[in-house]
Amino acid sequence: MKLQKIAMAAFAAALMVTAPSCSHKIERVSVDETIDLSGNWNDTDSRMVAEAMVDQILKGPWISEYNRTHANKKPVVIVGLVYNKTSEHIDASTFIKDVEKAFINSGKVRLVQADAKREALRQERASQQNYSSVETAKQWGKELGADYMLQGDITSITDAYKKEKVTYYQTSLELSDLESNEVVWIGDKKIKKYIKN
């Protein structure tokens, strides 16, 4: 019994000595603060690239041409797929959402839902036909058709030697006229990161 108490006391002492080394610190920071731990693509890259690319798109001649030929109406844009062609895991949906937000905040285009979200809206509309009052049920055939679709990809090149690494990211986007398939705008944004361990 005495040996067991000594063993338990020794275990408790050892636990107390190692406990502080196992602790970690968590701190809330601003979502706008740039924190780059690994050097990989991150939330700051996604936001910066999306804002820069939308700025480029909206300065292209296609929009003034559309305004001129459509009595100053805003063009309707849908954001399609943006493919991750890097070796990293990049959630392209975060980048797409940043692009959509930048489009809406610009006030220069109208944005319509793509893919699964559009299908969810159609399911809700179908449900309303059976379960909502006639006065409030939303009608079929009133969807806003997109004039243009934005698509693209994110690529990267990594060069590493010993404890140093340089990663170059290029995001390339294309805006196409949905009726004619004409590409009306192409642009890219590049980021280069130097990482030293």
Side-chain angles (χ1 to χ4, degrees):
M1 185 77 164
K2 190 174 183 181
L3 189 58
Q4 189 178 17
K5 283 184 180 180
I6 293 171
M8 286 182 67
F11 176 72
L15 189 60
M16 287 173 57
V17 169
T18 60
S21 65
C22 295
S23 69
H24 65 280
K25 182 180 175 186
I26 298 173
E27 181 182 335
R28 299 274 184 257
V29 296
S30 168
V31 293
D32 295 329
E33 187 176 342
T34 300
I35 300 174
D36 216 335
L37 299 177
S38 66
N40 291 342
W41 178 274
N42 61 32
D43 62 317
T44 301
D45 300 322
S46 179
R47 187 181 70 255
M48 286 173 45
V49 170
E51 289 170 357
M53 302 248 10
V54 169
D55 186 56
Q56 282 181 40
I57 293 166
L58 296 177
K59 287 180 179 172
W62 70 275
I63 195 164
S64 57
E65 178 62 20
Y66 182 89
N67 293 149
R68 187 183 66 74
T69 57
H70 291 84
N72 283 325
K73 287 185 180 177
K74 295 178 184 177
V76 180
V77 176
I78 188 169
V79 180
L81 295 175
V82 177
Y83 296 97
N84 171 21
K85 295 184 177 178
T86 72
S87 58
E88 296 174 27
H89 171 71
I90 295 175
D91 186 354
S93 64
T94 302
F95 176 71
I96 290 169
K97 190 55 63 186
D98 285 337
V99 168
E100 290 175 336
K101 183 169 65 172
F103 269 135
I104 289 174
N105 290 342
S106 77
K108 295 182 178 179
V109 300
R110 297 171 78 184
L111 185 73
V112 292
Q113 291 284 10
D115 290 343
K117 291 183 181 178
R118 182 177 56 225
E119 288 306 315
L121 291 168
R122 288 175 180 164
Q123 288 175 8
E124 172 58 24
R125 197 173 306 117
S127 179
Q128 285 186 10
Q129 305 312 306
N130 294 323
Y131 301 108
S132 297
S133 67
V134 174
E135 300 81 32
T136 62
K138 302 306 172 245
Q139 299 177 22
W140 289 103
K142 301 278 186 174
E143 289 184 25
L144 193 59
D147 300 304
Y148 300 95
M149 178 178 266
L150 185 70
Q151 301 177 92
D153 51 52
I154 304 169
T155 57
S156 68
I157 301 169
T158 299
D159 185 25
Y161 181 71
K162 294 187 179 178
K163 294 186 175 187
E164 295 178 282
K165 180 170 83 168
V166 175
T167 304
Y168 166 86
Y169 296 96
Q170 179 168 319
T171 304
S172 302
L173 298 177
E174 297 180 1
L175 188 69
S176 301
D177 183 307
L178 276 169
E179 191 166 67
S180 66
N181 288 342
E182 179 185 7
V183 177
V184 297
W185 177 88
I186 294 178
D188 59 59
K189 173 70 177 164
K190 302 171 178 82
I191 295 176
K192 197 173 200 176
K193 295 186 177 187
Y194 170 69
I195 303 108
K196 186 174 182 180
N197 293 323

